[in-house]
Amino acid sequence: MHLFEYPWPELASDPTILGLLAETERGRGGWEAVSDGRAAPLSSMASDTRIMSTLASNAIEGIRTTPERGLAVAGGIAAPRTHDEREIAGYRDALTLVQENHGAMEPTPGLILQLHRDLYRRSGESIGGRFKDSDNVIAEVGPDGALSTRFKPVSASRTPDAVEELCRAWSAAHEDGGVSPLLLCGAFVLDFTCIHPFSDGNGRMSRILTQLLLLKDGYDAVLYSPLEAVIERRRPEYYDALQASSMGWHENASDPRPFLAFHLEALTECQQEARRRLEGRGGAPTSKGDRVVEFMAFHQGPFRKADILAALPDISEITVKRVLAQARRDGLLELLGSGRSSAYLWRGDAGRP
């Protein structure tokens, strides 16, 4: 039976892990240096990133829709029509809850069940917010198309206790402070994935929980560049790392280093991308109209007039309306919907990073 025990003495001197930790901390410092005082562009970046995170995390699991529908559904502009779109919308709901309330959240079995319920709230399925009631396996498809078992997770009867032990171990180690929170985050996600506590949605839940734990410890670049998109781009490495670190897991003989290394590399890449995106916007705009244009020009998903007003509270609604109208006349904006439900998509290229 697996024991949830942190830390691991062998990691304290592992040169690869120590080097990656140092690089990630440098990336955090670099991001904080460039993001200080950039509230307006950060607001639009956060909105875009939530959309991209939602679409990428679902795409990893083969959950997709058309590009335009994906942007609209993940952005909360359009109601979902298909089963996949309902799952996309559910992920957005759960991710939004974490991103907006992470400071008051602790990784507990109750919270994990709540987030899973939110993930499936729109799907109409009854599995949301319930641990699996039958044993499952993690399978892979071979070159000949045949399925084979890659890993056998914790049994259904043992799952509630395993999740409780996992959360308790993370909490104790986090409070003790003897282990880097980055390593604790990676370890928690690895163990959660090996437990595989749900009949469906485990991969997406693991990425929502990754965001929760990183945000709790101040690694907020994930709000401004989608970590999930990094994982999607490096999907084969992601699964290889999971497989390598899950071998011998039940017997407490597994090596967490492959997955922890991937975890740290992905976060560093996310930090670097967030910094590039922000630095690509140049200096601060000189006029209020320019600031509205900057907000719009760097949005990759739909936005409403209310989003601009919330991000730029010192700019009047009259100014925002004027800039919106001019941008539409110049062919830079596409109007989505009408009336109070209307939103916009930026179609101009000026100012793109």
Side-chain angles (χ1 to χ4, degrees):
M1 183 175 67
H2 184 80
L3 299 177
F4 301 94
E5 295 180 342
Y6 313 125
W8 313 270
E10 66 273 16
L11 293 182
S13 58
D14 185 275
T16 299
I17 295 298
L18 291 177
L20 290 171
L21 274 172
E23 186 176 358
T24 304
E25 292 299 344
R26 285 194 296 271
R28 179 187 188 180
W31 163 248
E32 290 176 348
V34 301
S35 61
D36 185 46
R38 300 295 304 279
L42 287 176
S43 177
S44 63
M45 285 174 64
S47 177
D48 293 343
T49 297
R50 185 175 295 169
I51 292 171
M52 291 185 287
S53 291
T54 296
L55 295 177
S57 190
N58 280 280
I60 292 170
E61 311 301 332
I63 301 169
R64 302 175 184 272
T65 186
T66 64
E68 288 196 358
R69 288 288 302 167
L71 286 172
V73 172
I77 302 301
R81 297 172 181 168
T82 67
H83 180 271
D84 277 11
E85 289 183 0
R86 287 191 288 273
E87 296 215 343
I88 289 170
Y91 189 93
R92 182 202 68 219
D93 294 343
L95 182 61
T96 299
L97 184 67
V98 164
Q99 291 183 339
E100 294 182 352
N101 301 279
H102 55 85
M105 291 178 166
E106 294 294 328
T108 63
L111 177 66
I112 290 171
L113 288 170
Q114 176 190 347
L115 292 173
H116 190 260
R117 182 177 66 246
D118 290 344
L119 189 66
Y120 282 91
R121 181 171 59 87
R122 296 172 180 265
S123 71
E125 300 179 42
S126 61
I127 62 172
R130 296 169 54 190
F131 290 135
K132 62 190 178 186
D133 54 13
S134 61
D135 294 351
N136 53 5
V137 298
I138 300 175
E140 61 184 357
V141 181
D144 59 353
L147 283 175
S148 61
T149 298
R150 185 182 69 75
F151 182 78
K152 188 174 181 179
V154 168
S155 67
S157 61
R158 165 83 178 127
T159 289
D161 287 342
V163 173
E164 177 68 41
E165 291 166 16
L166 168 63
C167 294
R168 191 163 53 239
W170 179 91
S171 180
H174 190 261
E175 183 177 351
D176 178 71
V179 185
S180 162
L182 291 174
L183 296 184
L184 280 179
C185 174
F188 183 98
V189 172
L190 172 63
D191 285 343
F192 174 88
T193 305
C194 289
I195 297 171
H196 229 60
F198 299 108
S199 59
D200 192 34
N202 293 285
R204 288 176 292 157
M205 279 295 300
S206 75
R207 292 183 284 277
I208 289 173
L209 292 170
T210 298
Q211 288 239 357
L212 170 63
L213 299 185
L214 290 174
L215 289 171
K216 283 188 69 64
D217 282 295
Y219 295 91
D220 68 343
V222 296
L223 294 174
Y224 307 106
S225 181
L227 180 63
E228 296 86 345
V230 177
I231 296 172
E232 185 189 14
R233 287 196 301 269
R234 301 176 59 177
R235 192 183 317 185
E237 297 172 67
Y238 170 62
Y239 285 124
D240 286 348
L242 273 174
Q243 182 170 10
S245 288
S246 62
M247 294 176 62
W249 183 85
H250 288 281
E251 298 79 24
N252 297 296
S254 59
D255 181 359
R257 286 174 292 186
F259 184 75
L260 294 177
F262 178 88
H263 170 68
L264 294 172
E265 290 173 359
L267 178 56
T268 297
E269 188 172 334
C270 172
Q271 292 169 330
Q272 292 169 344
E273 179 60 24
R275 183 172 179 173
R276 282 194 295 269
R277 290 182 67 199
L278 185 58
E279 288 178 334
R281 298 175 181 228
T286 57
S287 72
K288 291 184 177 181
D290 288 342
R291 289 168 59 203
V292 175
V293 171
E294 181 193 53
F295 178 95
M296 297 188 298
F298 291 94
H299 249 282
Q300 296 183 340
F303 59 88
R304 299 181 176 92
K305 180 182 67 176
D307 296 325
I308 303 175
L309 293 170
L312 306 171
D314 61 318
I315 299 180
S316 70
E317 184 174 1
I318 293 175
T319 299
V320 172
K321 285 182 176 179
R322 175 179 57 78
V323 177
L324 286 171
Q326 185 61 52
R328 289 190 63 194
R329 287 193 294 270
D330 293 341
L332 301 177
L333 286 180
E334 176 184 348
L335 180 64
L336 305 176
S338 60
R340 292 186 176 180
S341 62
S342 64
Y344 303 92
L345 273 177
W346 179 260
R347 294 304 191 188
D349 294 326
R352 286 281 190 191

